[in-house]
Amino acid sequence: MAKKILEVTYEFLVKMSLFTSINDDIESYDENSTVNKTMERHISTLKDKDIESILKKIENNLDLNVENKSRREQGILRRYLFRDKRIGKCGICQKEFPINFLVTAHIKKRSECQLEEKIDFRNIVMPMCKFGCDDLFEKGYISVVDGIVVSMKHKNRTPSIDEIISNIEGKKCPYWNKTSKKYFEWHYKFHLSNNI
Ligand SMILES: [Zn+2]
């Protein structure tokens, strides 16, 4: 890809946010504006190498604070996970939802990631639904061990939480593989020691 397009895409991401919030709220994003349409087209043709270099550039931009970096990253990572799809599948419960009900979740907490882990986008993120899976995973109520969703010990469990978890426990997570494994292992260990 020509360097120029990469730079233009990057500038676009830095100046404007593709999404209004870190939680993937796309409601106020004007998908019909000409600039956005052109950029969407550029972004959807980005190769893996280009995504990596944009993520690196965002991360190294000293003018952006943590929240802004994360928001820009989300714009690119969502494109990687969903491309131009309208419907996607949650990596935990395996149910299908319109993509604005899915978040681009980091398997290893973003704030704990080194630069090389942040740009390892093929392995560090996966889609999770807003109907519980994202929160349960982020708060350590569930994890993934050897590719299977497992229930975790947690001091704030209630019968309702137990019921929700019983419906997803044992599901196979298609995002678990030999290269993403280390991030799931980090998640499991981190919450295992935090939940005691
Ligand atoms: Zn789900």
Side-chain angles (χ1 to χ4, degrees), residues 13-140:
L13 283 165
V14 169
K15 283 192 193 126
M16 312 167 72
S17 177
L18 276 171
F19 299 99
T20 52
S21 84
I22 199 168
N23 297 319
D24 307 328
D25 178 6
I26 59 169
E27 297 306 325
S28 58
Y29 172 64
D30 180 10
E31 57 184 21
N32 294 317
S33 96
T34 317
V35 180
N36 287 349
K37 268 186 176 165
T38 313
M39 275 307 136
E40 292 279 343
R41 244 194 335 269
H42 282 332
I43 293 171
S44 66
T45 59
L46 289 177
K47 294 191 175 70
D48 283 8
K49 194 166 52 65
D50 304 323
I51 297 178
E52 213 168 79
S53 77
I54 289 182
L55 287 175
K56 211 182 272 177
K57 234 177 146 180
I58 293 172
E59 198 48 44
N60 289 330
N61 187 328
L62 300 173
D63 297 330
L64 294 173
N65 63 28
V66 175
E67 195 192 319
N68 282 335
K69 280 181 185 175
S70 175
R71 197 181 292 175
R72 265 82 183 168
E73 252 184 48
Q74 288 281 325
I76 282 281
L77 294 174
R78 278 188 77 84
R79 289 316 186 277
Y80 165 70
L81 279 182
F82 306 122
R83 295 287 164 180
D84 51 0
K85 289 187 213 149
R86 298 241 152 220
I87 305 286
K89 208 184 238 186
C90 170
I92 297 287
C93 67
Q94 304 307 312
K95 289 180 181 161
E96 285 191 328
F97 297 105
I99 61 161
N100 51 357
F101 287 102
L102 292 166
V103 303
T104 312
H106 274 75
I107 298 162
K108 176 174 177 178
K109 251 184 216 309
R110 189 187 175 280
S111 57
E112 302 283 333
C113 287
Q114 302 296 314
L115 175 64
E116 62 271 23
E117 294 173 323
K118 281 179 190 158
I119 63 170
D120 186 15
F121 62 93
R122 297 172 205 82
N123 298 303
I124 199 78
V125 290
M126 66 186 262
M128 290 187 205
C129 75
K130 293 182 179 179
F131 297 96
C133 295
D134 177 46
D135 264 341
L136 289 170
F137 189 83
E138 206 206 314
K139 295 179 169 69

